[in-house]
């Protein structure tokens, strides 16, 4: 009986570990991690006491709406990466957002454009959701001056609630990714790219990144518990701290040349004299940009394995 139970659990585990293919866009393979449905289900459980309309609203918002928003964000990273000559392997959607698997970019300047391209996709998305919201808001309130709030999603106000959530999600992801300079978020990548572009040595850049990301990650963790418990926010904070710890390990092991954030600088010779080992073989790293979009690497530059995530960051998001 115990062996049968163990075998059944193993089969369930293998199913959850295998991404679900969703097809391709612009010849970029797109997959969905099965754990997304587990996290979605847990989130929806907390909305059951608020009524069926709330469950329906969050089923759409946290399901297809969020997936579509994150997918466009990751496509922004991927298409910008192609523009600067980097290889793109695919996109994985998972509970914390998205991972765009992108090869090494040629320079910090190019990497900054790739990092920025994801958040920029939220600007047209906000405009689309606002255009959808305007007539519905006018029908509900009699005013064209939109005040952004989510009414209780009963039948008469459901579209108002849905479209308002579309606007809020995109504004939130744009601000979170750009205004929180915590690695591995896009803002953290832009911080690293800006420092390297300005000529700051990789090792010093890494320490600055760590010192910025740790307090921000802890702050996100606190926000996940207070004033309301937010499971995904707490998971994002854990991912920030985990990725930052991986960067710390790379610094301690003198292995920044194998870290996706810094390998381009070492391969171009821009870090000569910085004292990192293993520069040979530092190229070709391929790993994810996120949504919540950026990456995690082990000290050998291999795959990532956080919270059931796929092989991640050889480089997100």
């Amino acid at each position: 009986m115990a062996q049968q139970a163990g075998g059944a659990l193993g089969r369930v585990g293998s199913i959850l570990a295998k991404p679900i293919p969703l097809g391709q866009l612009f010849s970029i393979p797109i997959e969905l991690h099965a754990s997304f449905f587990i996290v979605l289900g847990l989130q929806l459980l907390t909305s059951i006491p608020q009524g069926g309309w709330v469950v329906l609203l969050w089923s759409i918002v946290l399901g297809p709406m969020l997936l579509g928003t994150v997918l466009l964000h990751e496509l922004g990273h991927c298409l910008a990466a192609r523009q600067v000559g980097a290889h793109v392997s695919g996109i994985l959607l998972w509970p914390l957002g998205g991972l765009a698997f992108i090869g090494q970019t040629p320079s910090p300047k190019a990497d900054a454009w790739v990092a920025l391209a994801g958040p920029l996709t939220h600007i047209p998305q906000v405009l689309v959701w606002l255009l959808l919201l305007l007539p519905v808001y006018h029908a509900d309130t009699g005013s064209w001056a939109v005040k952004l709030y989510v009414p209780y999603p009963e039948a008469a106000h459901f579209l108002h609630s849905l479209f308002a959530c579309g606007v809020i999600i995109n504004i939130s992801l744009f601000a979170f990714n750009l205004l929180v300079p915590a690695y591995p978020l896009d803002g953290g990548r832009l911080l690293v790219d800006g420092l390297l572009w300005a000529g700051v040595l990789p090792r010093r850049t890494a320490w600055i990144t760590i010192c910025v990301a740790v307090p921000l990650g802890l702050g996100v963790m606190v926000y996940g518990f207070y004033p309301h418990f937010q499971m995904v926010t707490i998971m994002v904070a854990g991912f920030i701290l985990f990725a930052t710890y991986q960067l710390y390990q790379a610094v301690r092991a003198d292995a920044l040349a194998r870290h996706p954030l810094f390998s381009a600088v070492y391969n171009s010779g821009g870090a000569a004299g910085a004292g990192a080992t293993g520069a040979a073989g530092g190229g070709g790293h391929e790993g994810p940009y996120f949504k919540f979009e950026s990456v995690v690497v082990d000290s050998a530059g291999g795959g990532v394995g956080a919270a059931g995530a796929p092989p991640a960051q050889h480089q997100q998001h």
Side-chain angles (χ1 to χ4, degrees):
M1 179 70 73
Q3 289 180 337
Q4 290 176 340
L9 289 174
R11 287 191 293 273
V12 171
S14 64
I15 292 172
L16 292 178
K18 186 177 182 180
I20 303 167
L22 299 181
Q24 296 188 358
L25 282 174
F26 304 102
S27 300
I28 300 171
I30 300 165
E31 296 180 319
L32 175 64
H33 202 271
S35 60
F36 174 85
F37 296 104
I38 297 176
V39 175
L40 175 62
L42 292 174
Q43 290 177 295
L44 293 179
L45 282 176
T46 64
S47 66
I48 290 176
Q50 301 174 60
W53 283 109
V54 175
V55 174
L56 176 61
L57 175 67
W58 292 117
S59 297
I60 298 172
V61 170
L62 299 178
M65 179 184 287
L66 184 58
L67 285 177
T69 300
V70 170
L71 176 58
L72 290 175
H73 181 118
E74 298 307 322
L75 281 172
H77 287 311
C78 291
L79 296 178
R82 281 182 173 175
Q83 186 180 28
V84 301
H87 177 70
V88 176
S89 293
I91 293 172
L92 176 70
L93 304 174
W94 67 312
L96 300 189
L99 301 167
F101 290 86
I102 294 170
Q104 178 180 298
T105 50
S107 67
K109 182 179 178 180
D111 192 74
W113 165 237
V114 175
L116 185 61
L120 288 180
T121 63
H122 296 296
I123 295 175
Q125 290 187 77
V126 166
L127 295 178
V128 169
W129 287 114
L130 271 176
L131 288 174
L132 292 172
L133 176 61
L134 272 171
V136 176
Y137 184 89
H138 182 263
D140 273 359
T141 66
S143 172
W144 292 103
V146 173
K147 294 181 179 179
L148 202 54
Y149 67 96
V150 180
Y152 184 82
E154 57 190 355
H157 305 293
F158 188 82
L159 289 180
H160 181 172
S161 302
L162 183 64
F163 297 156
C165 284
V167 176
I168 291 170
I169 281 179
N170 278 280
I171 292 175
S172 299
L173 287 178
F174 177 84
F176 185 66
N177 278 279
L178 283 186
L179 302 182
V180 181
Y183 175 75
L185 305 180
D186 293 332
R189 298 193 65 90
L190 288 169
L191 173 64
V192 171
D193 292 331
L195 291 171
L196 293 174
W197 193 0
V200 179
L201 292 177
R203 188 175 182 86
R204 180 172 297 175
T205 296
W207 278 116
I208 293 172
T209 303
I210 292 167
C211 291
V212 170
V214 169
L216 287 174
L218 292 174
V220 173
M221 179 76 73
V222 171
Y223 180 71
F225 284 100
Y226 182 84
H228 305 292
F229 180 80
Q230 302 171 71
M231 178 177 62
V232 172
T233 301
I234 295 169
M235 293 169 67
V236 169
F239 192 71
I240 290 172
L241 295 173
F242 175 77
T244 304
Y245 177 69
Q246 296 284 13
L247 177 57
Y248 168 76
Q249 285 186 314
V251 174
R252 288 291 302 273
D254 205 17
L256 282 179
R258 296 196 297 268
H259 193 286
L261 280 175
F262 299 95
S263 58
V265 176
Y266 283 96
N267 290 337
S268 67
T277 59
H285 290 296
E286 186 163 311
Y289 264 84
F290 274 112
K291 243 35 310 82
F292 282 97
E293 306 112 29
S294 228
V295 257
V296 183
V297 241
D298 58 27
S299 57
V304 88
Q313 165 114 23
H314 299 67
Q315 157 192 77
Q316 187 199 29
H317 148 12

